[in-house]
Amino acid sequence: MPRYWEDYNVGDKFVSPERTVTDAMIVIPTAIAGYTQAFFWSEEAAKKTPFGTRIAPGPLTLLFMGGLEEQTGMWDDETAIALVGIDKVRVRAPLRAGDTIHVELEITEKRETGKPDRGVIIHRSVCKNQKGEVIAEMELAHLVKRRPQT
């Protein structure tokens, strides 16, 4: 059954399944994106950082969050139109290989648009690791179809 803009309510919460991040899940996209800083590639260089080991680049954490958000069941393939905004992004802690993460979402706002067939859903998304520490958080806005007028 499709989930339209009208079916979302401020305060609705969703939680993703957990996912354990492997070294390959960090290394491959880091290489593809072209990151060159030694502490992403060299354990010896990373030992000299405040983190003491290699970590994932912050933007990669956001990519993992996006994938986990899709697994919450929040979005409907038939009614989700597009991501239209990312705001208030904060990376609070490092993401390391071996971390098990999940994402918690809460709808914080709904907006009508100038077009009667769509609306905007705004939600806060928080990524936590296995210790309950906040790894990253952000606010996202998605365009969603409205219920067809009959």
mmCIF file of all heavy atoms in Angstrom, residues 22-41:
data_model
loop_
_atom_site.group_PDB
_atom_site.id
_atom_site.type_symbol
_atom_site.label_atom_id
_atom_site.label_comp_id
_atom_site.label_asym_id
_atom_site.label_seq_id
_atom_site.Cartn_x
_atom_site.Cartn_y
_atom_site.Cartn_z
ATOM 1 N N THR A 22 32.702 -3.101 7.358
ATOM 2 C CA THR A 22 33.960 -3.825 7.190
ATOM 3 C C THR A 22 35.035 -2.896 6.638
ATOM 4 O O THR A 22 34.743 -1.803 6.131
ATOM 5 C CB THR A 22 33.793 -5.004 6.218
ATOM 6 O OG1 THR A 22 33.513 -4.481 4.907
ATOM 7 C CG2 THR A 22 32.679 -5.944 6.670
ATOM 8 N N ASP A 23 36.270 -3.362 6.686
ATOM 9 C CA ASP A 23 37.378 -2.587 6.132
ATOM 10 C C ASP A 23 37.159 -2.354 4.639
ATOM 11 O O ASP A 23 37.344 -1.241 4.148
ATOM 12 C CB ASP A 23 38.692 -3.322 6.379
ATOM 13 C CG ASP A 23 39.903 -2.478 6.012
ATOM 14 O OD1 ASP A 23 40.067 -1.383 6.598
ATOM 15 O OD2 ASP A 23 40.669 -2.898 5.119
ATOM 16 N N ALA A 24 36.716 -3.372 3.923
ATOM 17 C CA ALA A 24 36.492 -3.223 2.476
ATOM 18 C C ALA A 24 35.405 -2.202 2.178
ATOM 19 O O ALA A 24 35.493 -1.468 1.191
ATOM 20 C CB ALA A 24 36.126 -4.575 1.862
ATOM 21 N N MET A 25 34.384 -2.140 3.041
ATOM 22 C CA MET A 25 33.301 -1.171 2.840
ATOM 23 C C MET A 25 33.803 0.264 2.997
ATOM 24 O O MET A 25 33.172 1.198 2.495
ATOM 25 C CB MET A 25 32.164 -1.439 3.822
ATOM 26 C CG MET A 25 31.406 -2.726 3.519
ATOM 27 S SD MET A 25 30.335 -3.264 4.863
ATOM 28 C CE MET A 25 29.136 -1.948 4.937
ATOM 29 N N ILE A 26 34.909 0.431 3.669
ATOM 30 C CA ILE A 26 35.522 1.760 3.808
ATOM 31 C C ILE A 26 36.539 1.986 2.695
ATOM 32 O O ILE A 26 36.533 3.021 2.028
ATOM 33 C CB ILE A 26 36.173 1.924 5.194
ATOM 34 C CG1 ILE A 26 35.106 1.902 6.287
ATOM 35 C CG2 ILE A 26 36.996 3.216 5.250
ATOM 36 C CD1 ILE A 26 35.660 1.901 7.706
ATOM 37 N N VAL A 27 37.421 1.015 2.456
ATOM 38 C CA VAL A 27 38.529 1.185 1.523
ATOM 39 C C VAL A 27 38.052 1.394 0.084
ATOM 40 O O VAL A 27 38.533 2.291 -0.608
ATOM 41 C CB VAL A 27 39.496 -0.021 1.604
ATOM 42 C CG1 VAL A 27 40.515 -0.001 0.469
ATOM 43 C CG2 VAL A 27 40.207 -0.014 2.950
ATOM 44 N N ILE A 28 37.101 0.594 -0.375
ATOM 45 C CA ILE A 28 36.708 0.660 -1.786
ATOM 46 C C ILE A 28 36.088 2.010 -2.146
ATOM 47 O O ILE A 28 36.557 2.672 -3.078
ATOM 48 C CB ILE A 28 35.811 -0.527 -2.163
ATOM 49 C CG1 ILE A 28 36.647 -1.822 -2.109
ATOM 50 C CG2 ILE A 28 35.188 -0.338 -3.546
ATOM 51 C CD1 ILE A 28 35.845 -3.094 -2.192
ATOM 52 N N PRO A 29 35.051 2.497 -1.425
ATOM 53 C CA PRO A 29 34.510 3.808 -1.817
ATOM 54 C C PRO A 29 35.489 4.956 -1.561
ATOM 55 O O PRO A 29 35.467 5.953 -2.272
ATOM 56 C CB PRO A 29 33.242 3.960 -0.977
ATOM 57 C CG PRO A 29 33.271 2.879 0.033
ATOM 58 C CD PRO A 29 34.237 1.847 -0.405
ATOM 59 N N THR A 30 36.360 4.800 -0.570
ATOM 60 C CA THR A 30 37.366 5.832 -0.314
ATOM 61 C C THR A 30 38.311 5.934 -1.511
ATOM 62 O O THR A 30 38.666 7.032 -1.949
ATOM 63 C CB THR A 30 38.137 5.523 0.987
ATOM 64 O OG1 THR A 30 37.201 5.504 2.066
ATOM 65 C CG2 THR A 30 39.196 6.561 1.283
ATOM 66 N N ALA A 31 38.688 4.792 -2.075
ATOM 67 C CA ALA A 31 39.544 4.781 -3.271
ATOM 68 C C ALA A 31 38.805 5.344 -4.474
ATOM 69 O O ALA A 31 39.355 6.161 -5.218
ATOM 70 C CB ALA A 31 40.013 3.360 -3.550
ATOM 71 N N ILE A 32 37.568 4.923 -4.652
ATOM 72 C CA ILE A 32 36.784 5.401 -5.800
ATOM 73 C C ILE A 32 36.619 6.916 -5.751
ATOM 74 O O ILE A 32 36.711 7.600 -6.768
ATOM 75 C CB ILE A 32 35.414 4.698 -5.855
ATOM 76 C CG1 ILE A 32 35.604 3.226 -6.231
ATOM 77 C CG2 ILE A 32 34.469 5.388 -6.841
ATOM 78 C CD1 ILE A 32 34.360 2.384 -6.064
ATOM 79 N N ALA A 33 36.384 7.450 -4.554
ATOM 80 C CA ALA A 33 36.175 8.896 -4.408
ATOM 81 C C ALA A 33 37.470 9.685 -4.572
ATOM 82 O O ALA A 33 37.439 10.884 -4.824
ATOM 83 C CB ALA A 33 35.552 9.183 -3.045
ATOM 84 N N GLY A 34 38.624 9.028 -4.412
ATOM 85 C CA GLY A 34 39.897 9.707 -4.619
ATOM 86 C C GLY A 34 40.512 10.323 -3.371
ATOM 87 O O GLY A 34 41.358 11.208 -3.472
ATOM 88 N N TYR A 35 40.114 9.863 -2.193
ATOM 89 C CA TYR A 35 40.750 10.361 -0.976
ATOM 90 C C TYR A 35 42.208 9.923 -0.966
ATOM 91 O O TYR A 35 42.516 8.763 -1.257
ATOM 92 C CB TYR A 35 40.041 9.811 0.272
ATOM 93 C CG TYR A 35 38.717 10.479 0.546
ATOM 94 C CD1 TYR A 35 37.540 9.953 0.021
ATOM 95 C CD2 TYR A 35 38.639 11.628 1.321
ATOM 96 C CE1 TYR A 35 36.315 10.557 0.263
ATOM 97 C CE2 TYR A 35 37.424 12.240 1.564
ATOM 98 C CZ TYR A 35 36.263 11.691 1.039
ATOM 99 O OH TYR A 35 35.058 12.292 1.279
ATOM 100 N N THR A 36 43.122 10.851 -0.631
ATOM 101 C CA THR A 36 44.555 10.541 -0.681
ATOM 102 C C THR A 36 45.282 10.726 0.653
ATOM 103 O O THR A 36 46.451 10.375 0.750
ATOM 104 C CB THR A 36 45.258 11.432 -1.727
ATOM 105 O OG1 THR A 36 45.078 12.809 -1.362
ATOM 106 C CG2 THR A 36 44.701 11.186 -3.122
ATOM 107 N N GLN A 37 44.625 11.254 1.667
ATOM 108 C CA GLN A 37 45.321 11.491 2.923
ATOM 109 C C GLN A 37 45.783 10.169 3.526
ATOM 110 O O GLN A 37 45.031 9.188 3.597
ATOM 111 C CB GLN A 37 44.438 12.261 3.895
ATOM 112 C CG GLN A 37 44.175 13.671 3.397
ATOM 113 C CD GLN A 37 43.306 14.469 4.338
ATOM 114 O OE1 GLN A 37 42.407 13.931 4.959
ATOM 115 N NE2 GLN A 37 43.578 15.752 4.426
ATOM 116 N N ALA A 38 47.029 10.160 3.961
ATOM 117 C CA ALA A 38 47.673 8.924 4.418
ATOM 118 C C ALA A 38 46.912 8.228 5.542
ATOM 119 O O ALA A 38 46.870 7.000 5.589
ATOM 120 C CB ALA A 38 49.104 9.221 4.856
ATOM 121 N N PHE A 39 46.277 8.975 6.434
ATOM 122 C CA PHE A 39 45.619 8.314 7.567
ATOM 123 C C PHE A 39 44.390 7.512 7.165
ATOM 124 O O PHE A 39 43.893 6.719 7.945
ATOM 125 C CB PHE A 39 45.296 9.300 8.698
ATOM 126 C CG PHE A 39 44.437 10.460 8.311
ATOM 127 C CD1 PHE A 39 43.065 10.335 8.197
ATOM 128 C CD2 PHE A 39 45.020 11.692 8.075
ATOM 129 C CE1 PHE A 39 42.265 11.413 7.850
ATOM 130 C CE2 PHE A 39 44.237 12.784 7.729
ATOM 131 C CZ PHE A 39 42.855 12.633 7.613
ATOM 132 N N PHE A 40 43.912 7.674 5.924
ATOM 133 C CA PHE A 40 42.836 6.809 5.429
ATOM 134 C C PHE A 40 43.392 5.481 4.906
ATOM 135 O O PHE A 40 42.673 4.499 4.806
ATOM 136 C CB PHE A 40 42.043 7.479 4.305
ATOM 137 C CG PHE A 40 41.190 8.633 4.756
ATOM 138 C CD1 PHE A 40 41.209 9.824 4.058
ATOM 139 C CD2 PHE A 40 40.367 8.529 5.864
ATOM 140 C CE1 PHE A 40 40.417 10.894 4.454
ATOM 141 C CE2 PHE A 40 39.573 9.589 6.272
ATOM 142 C CZ PHE A 40 39.606 10.773 5.572
ATOM 143 N N TRP A 41 44.667 5.463 4.555
ATOM 144 C CA TRP A 41 45.259 4.307 3.884
ATOM 145 C C TRP A 41 46.304 3.581 4.702
ATOM 146 O O TRP A 41 46.487 2.381 4.532
ATOM 147 C CB TRP A 41 45.895 4.760 2.560
ATOM 148 C CG TRP A 41 44.881 5.356 1.670
ATOM 149 C CD1 TRP A 41 44.682 6.680 1.404
ATOM 150 C CD2 TRP A 41 43.871 4.659 0.966
ATOM 151 N NE1 TRP A 41 43.607 6.845 0.570
ATOM 152 C CE2 TRP A 41 43.093 5.610 0.286
ATOM 153 C CE3 TRP A 41 43.541 3.312 0.830
ATOM 154 C CZ2 TRP A 41 42.012 5.265 -0.512
ATOM 155 C CZ3 TRP A 41 42.463 2.968 0.048
ATOM 156 C CH2 TRP A 41 41.720 3.945 -0.630
#
